[in-house]
Amino acid sequence: MARRPTAIRDFAIILALAVAALCFWQLRIMDPAEEERFRLSLTNADFFTYTEPVFIGARRVFEAGQLPLWNPYQGNGHPTLASIPAGVLYPLNFPALVLPSDVAIEVIVVLHLALAGAFMYAYARVLSLSRLASVAAAIAFMFSGFLSSRAIWFTPAIAACAWAPLALLSIERILADRKPGVWVVPLGIAVAMPVLAGWLQIW
């Protein structure tokens, strides 16, 4: 019975971190997409000249019932499906298939900030940190300068970073149990997702 209140408290904290991610974005601490659409700068040029057009093009091709194999509209054309930063096969890019691209990208940003916080909180708890210290670790990671600055212009970067604490958590559990067990599955997911997300530097 003691585990249930503990699990409920942890779930409530993770939910609060997700709400914090949403508030962080809604307060416009980072550049809002719709207001910056026609104001290119050094911080958002890649976003509007690469990331958003890739999302728009991939969605149009999917809606036509085809695979986005080739993008003739950027540069002199390039392969969309085979382009790693495009993240066409990344599962958590699904909002781009059902929502307008600017809204989808904002959803993806908030989702990954929330995941970054949740995974870091869980990792800190596995390291036997207190709840307060774990929350501090989660906030420091999800709202770090690196993640929040990449959220302005390059979603693959924060998508790749968000999975790092889950990989570390899984390794800790495997080493503690002295056998792979079920923790091989989340470790495999945490290693695979950054590749599909599209930023191999983090991987």
Side-chain angles (χ1 to χ4, degrees):
M1 294 296 292
R3 288 188 175 183
R4 181 172 293 179
T6 298
I8 291 174
R9 284 195 291 268
D10 287 334
F11 177 78
I13 289 171
I14 289 173
L15 185 61
L17 290 171
V19 172
L22 179 61
C23 292
F24 186 73
W25 182 262
Q26 287 299 320
L27 289 173
R28 296 310 186 196
I29 296 173
M30 294 172 286
D31 289 349
E34 64 272 13
E35 293 178 10
E36 295 291 325
R37 181 175 298 279
F38 299 109
R39 294 208 303 260
L40 291 181
S41 68
L42 290 176
T43 60
N44 67 19
D46 283 351
F47 181 86
F48 292 114
T49 60
Y50 180 79
T51 305
E52 188 177 28
V54 165
F55 276 55
I56 293 172
R59 181 184 179 187
R60 288 176 178 171
V61 174
F62 274 123
E63 287 176 343
Q66 302 172 350
L67 284 176
L69 301 177
W70 183 256
N71 179 358
Y73 302 109
Q74 287 178 282
N76 291 317
H78 65 86
T80 303
L81 192 63
S83 177
I84 292 174
V88 175
L89 299 180
Y90 180 55
L92 296 190
N93 278 342
F94 72 89
L97 303 179
V98 296
L99 298 171
S101 61
D102 54 342
V103 176
I105 291 171
E106 294 197 41
V107 170
I108 291 168
V109 167
V110 173
L111 173 62
H112 284 91
L113 288 176
L115 277 180
F119 289 152
M120 181 55 79
Y121 174 81
Y123 176 45
R125 293 295 288 159
V126 165
L127 294 179
S128 300
L129 271 66
S130 67
R131 282 194 175 83
L132 182 59
S134 299
V135 169
I139 290 174
F141 181 62
M142 65 193 288
F143 297 142
S144 66
F146 184 86
L147 283 183
S148 58
S149 64
R150 266 61 179 184
I152 297 173
W153 63 277
F154 198 49
T155 54
I158 61 169
C161 290
W163 297 95
L166 178 62
L168 297 173
L169 182 160
S170 302
I171 292 170
E172 286 288 337
R173 294 305 307 165
I174 290 171
L175 293 176
D177 296 342
R178 296 185 179 278
K179 56 182 179 180
V182 297
W183 288 101
V184 169
V185 175
L187 177 59
I189 292 172
V191 170
M193 289 300 104
V195 178
L196 295 176
W199 213 39
L200 293 183
Q201 292 92 322
I202 289 295
W203 183 78

